[in-house]
Amino acid sequence: MKVGVFDSGIGGLSVVKSLLEANLFEEIVYFGDTARVPYGIKDKNTIIRYSIEAVEFFKNFDLDLIITACNTVSAYALCEMREAAHCPVVGVVQAGALAVSNTLTCKDANILVLGTKATIASKAYELELHTLEFMNIQTKATGLFVPLVEEQIYNKNVLDATFDYYFNDLQEPDVVILGCTHFPLLLRYLKSYFKKETLFIHSGDAIVAYLKREFVFSRTYMHPKLKFFASENPDGLKKIAREWLGI
Ligand code: DGL
């Protein structure tokens, strides 16, 4: 099994981490559109156009599957990517909503969806969650989290002030969906901000559970081949991949 992982930039490495832990693939080809990140503030047509270009790029690799690690792309461009691709294309939004329903029985649970401006505006998570009969949903576009992670600013005072800014008018959630590739890198800090029973949904773990449900994996691969591509500064992407993934 050869998989392509697409993200607007470096954030999708958080999904690659989960894929590596699951040992599902023989080869992982990562493409980050670092020259044009962020997608989360772009309009629908632009996001679709860039995503189709990524599918064209992946055609060089004879893939069995493409995963869109990017929540913004998953929210807007999945249908168009499927039309353009020669292999199945899966996204993280549906997987994230299913992860909520696999972990929670109480349909009244208060679910907070965090994402980029575009992901939240798309209402994609709400639609998926409504289908699964979850109705008590709050959403928040927390765009500032993206540059904080990109700049690796993990100063507690800065983060707490940012969390207060975004969350002070919200009800205390039971579940937080980390609906953006970058947000799992803030998990430790978000965990200490919200009540301790809060459940966090991570796109990487959600997509692994989804893949195991939807596809048959007849064997595991302990040492997958990894290839990293970026539309700008590929060495920068490879350096961060080594740091984040410990490879
Ligand atoms: N990868 C994007 C996402 O998961 C976050 C960064 C961006 O705005 O491009 O939505």
Side-chain angles (χ1 to χ4, degrees), residues 3-245:
V3 68
V5 178
F6 170 46
D7 184 47
S8 54
I10 58 167
L13 294 172
S14 65
V15 170
V16 173
K17 194 170 175 54
S18 301
L19 296 177
L20 287 176
E21 282 160 9
N23 303 119
L24 299 180
F25 297 102
E26 185 179 11
E27 184 168 335
I28 299 176
V29 180
Y30 184 92
F31 173 62
D33 193 1
T34 46
R36 303 189 290 198
V37 70
Y39 282 16
I41 51 167
K42 297 197 166 57
D43 71 13
K44 181 178 175 180
N45 289 340
T46 306
I47 295 165
I48 290 173
R49 183 158 49 89
Y50 291 173
S51 303
I52 291 173
E53 285 172 21
V55 170
E56 293 306 321
F57 171 78
F58 280 132
K59 284 186 179 161
N60 298 309
F61 298 95
D62 191 26
L63 300 174
D64 300 297
L65 179 71
I66 295 173
I67 297 173
T68 63
C70 181
N71 283 261
T72 308
V73 169
S74 302
Y76 284 97
L78 217 49
C79 292
E80 290 78 1
M81 288 179 75
R82 284 178 176 149
E83 275 166 29
H86 292 146
C87 62
V89 180
V90 296
V92 288
V93 172
Q94 192 191 9
L98 284 169
V100 174
S101 108
N102 290 340
T103 353
L104 271 188
T105 42
C106 173
K107 297 288 182 190
D108 289 334
N110 187 304
I111 303 171
L112 171 61
V113 182
L114 305 180
T116 61
K117 214 182 252 182
T119 299
I120 297 304
S122 76
K123 298 194 183 299
Y125 271 104
E126 279 151 295
L127 286 173
E128 292 291 345
L129 289 165
H130 286 163
T131 313
L132 298 164
E133 294 170 16
F134 292 100
M135 297 296 169
N136 191 5
I137 302 164
Q138 313 177 81
T139 62
K140 199 78 182 177
T142 53
L144 257 185
F145 290 3
V146 174
L148 286 174
V149 170
E150 297 265 342
E151 297 290 325
Q152 308 199 28
I153 298 173
Y154 299 123
N155 175 287
K156 193 171 171 348
N157 294 335
V158 175
L159 291 177
D160 279 342
T162 311
F163 295 163
D164 282 340
Y165 172 76
Y166 282 127
F167 302 143
N168 72 356
D169 60 340
L170 293 180
Q171 286 171 34
E172 184 82 53
D174 302 306
V175 182
V176 177
I177 298 184
L178 303 169
C180 172
T181 46
H182 289 59
F183 298 176
L185 284 115
L186 298 177
L187 180 59
R188 181 151 82 85
Y189 307 95
L190 287 163
K191 271 189 172 162
S192 61
Y193 187 84
F194 288 111
K195 65 182 179 197
K196 72 173 186 324
E197 312 75 52
T198 311
L199 181 72
F200 289 87
I201 303 292
H202 176 315
S203 295
D205 299 340
I207 199 76
V208 167
Y210 177 85
L211 293 173
K212 286 183 176 168
R213 215 173 102 146
E214 296 293 317
F215 298 91
V216 177
F217 294 91
S218 48
R219 54 163 292 192
T220 54
Y221 297 93
M222 301 311 286
H223 302 288
K225 202 185 283 177
L226 297 172
K227 290 181 179 162
F228 295 100
F229 298 92
S231 50
E232 184 180 272
N233 189 13
D235 290 339
L237 173 79
K238 284 177 194 157
K239 182 172 175 288
I240 292 174
R242 280 195 292 274
E243 283 167 20
W244 286 12
L245 306 175

